[in-house]
Amino acid sequence: MKFAVYEVRPDETQDIARVQQALGVELVCTPETCTAETLALAAGCDGISTCGYSALDAALLAKIKAQGIRAVTTRTVGTNHIDLTAAHALGLAVGNANYGPESVADYTVMLLLMLLRNYKPAMWLQQVNDFSLPGLIGRQLRHLTVGVVGTGRIGCQVMQDLSGFGCRFIAADPHPNEKAAQYATYMPLEQLWQEADCITLHAPLLESTYHMVDRKALSMMKDGVVLINCARGPLMDMEAVTEAVESGKIGRLGLDVFENEEGIYHENHKYDDLKNREMAYLRQFRNVVLTQHMAFYTEEAVAEMVELGLRGLVGLLDGSQTSL
Ligand code: COI
């Protein structure tokens, strides 16, 4: 079997070589995203693997299929960049990488603690030898209610990790599960917006979750609410979120993902102007922590993403793995 592996980062190459050897497959690797222009790289391939930034829409999937490719995997959990309906209609098999939830869960806990204890302004001040305390007083989790939106593997892991801190958990998810119910009281989303001191999003990006944090949702939240998003940028209407930071409605904001981050995150723009106005504006706030979509980024997760992405192609092609 021969596969084209798109969006390859240097940190993946060792794992790719290891998995390639174990599977005995031929690979064409490229840092490029998969587009109509770069599809020629996959000539003669049986499968394609991407990593979250290739927009696999109906038109591109049709070209992929026409080139004789039978399976596509993404080395990510999220599949929002793939038109699954079009893939089904074309008979293209699709797989994702359900790597362990620990990397993103660890990161969520870190962001929450950084925000609650004002780590960003403390670090700024410390860098200029200002060791005073005013403005740095924090909050303790034991006295707070944490709302988890989306109680799949990551949402559950976040609650498991945070359970030692003694906070109260509330949760919202259209598909409640028993594991999450051990930690949290499920309730409608509107009620969660109203009751939570801290809210962390772990929902997939779907039509039904697009801009779930909008003006209306924000108006229901407590003044000074702590909001965290390590899932997908478009879950939040960034115009509404920016206004809520300005007004103080949002007291602390931690975003590892950002609406329209494509073309910015995971790239070096040191000498460029930032083309995302909200991103450029929001990052100045002392109570806003932005990071470059790196919650997943651990040695362990990367190894698993590569393994699941490439093994997934073999599995989809030999029939041992079912398509999404
Ligand atoms: C995911 O696995 O869904 C991620 O967000 C990782 C990233 C490389 C796009």
Side-chain angles (χ1 to χ4, degrees), residues 58 78 117-119 233 320:
R117 303 308 294 270
N118 298 308
Y119 179 68
S320 60

Side-chain angles (χ1 to χ4, degrees), residues 9 51-53 75-78 97 99 231-232 266 293 296 305:
R9 300 183 310 268
C51 199
Y53 288 110
R75 304 187 296 286
T76 61
V77 178
Y99 54 96
R232 283 293 180 269
H266 301 180
H293 202 147
F296 76 98
M305 290 161 96

